[in-house]
Amino acid sequence: MTATTARRLRKAGQRVTSQRLAVAAALSASPRQVTAQELWEQMRPTRPRLGRATVFRTLESLSEAGLARRLERDGHVYAYVACRPTHHHHLACRVCGTVEEIGEELVTEISRRARQQMGFEIEDARLDFYGVCRACTAAGLASRSES
């Protein structure tokens, strides 16, 4: 993971530092989207000298390099999720915070219609869909989170 992360950072023109690698590893290990504050708190026991501002800045750098994606939560709070290198989009559960990557094939029809009906040639797209995952829906958590 570290070699791949380092390679992706270099390819994006960013420096490879121990802090960036540590934040990327912690983000990749997270089973759900996390805020910078949450990630910093998770990392503190093993990396007590890692500053909170460093985690915030590093997450933004990882997002710029394509190693992470910034998602918006209610109240304009940002959370982050690790991303694989291939182009994809996200399904983010507003209840449990899990994020699933979905491939381009699920949104190809949107691009095709934009080109045909509007003459618009899409060069890049980043789509994040927010809702309730299957597990939370099955557990009846969808309606509870809205109250």
Side-chain angles (χ1 to χ4, degrees), residues 64-120:
E64 290 171 15
L67 279 87
R69 177 83 170 126
R70 184 175 66 182
L71 303 168
E72 189 171 345
R73 288 185 179 170
D74 288 341
H76 303 290
V77 173
Y78 293 116
Y80 298 83
V81 62
C83 287
R84 58 190 163 104
T86 57
H87 188 75
H88 61 278
H89 307 282
H90 298 97
L91 301 174
C93 181
R94 65 175 169 74
V95 178
C96 69
T98 59
V99 178
E100 276 190 67
E101 293 181 356
I102 58 172
E104 186 65 24
E105 65 280 358
L106 292 177
V107 296
T108 301
E109 182 63 18
I110 296 169
S111 298
R112 187 187 68 73
R113 283 187 176 205
R115 186 173 39 257
Q116 285 180 342
Q117 295 175 5
M118 304 173 86
F120 190 84

Side-chain angles (χ1 to χ4, degrees), residues 40-78:
W40 176 68
E41 289 171 2
Q42 288 174 15
M43 295 180 73
R44 280 179 66 192
T46 57
R47 306 242 351 173
R49 300 188 85 185
L50 183 65
R52 187 172 154 251
T54 300
V55 173
F56 278 75
R57 284 192 308 269
T58 300
L59 286 169
E60 283 302 309
S61 294
L62 294 174
S63 294
E64 290 171 15
L67 279 87
R69 177 83 170 126
R70 184 175 66 182
L71 303 168
E72 189 171 345
R73 288 185 179 170
D74 288 341
H76 303 290
V77 173
Y78 293 116

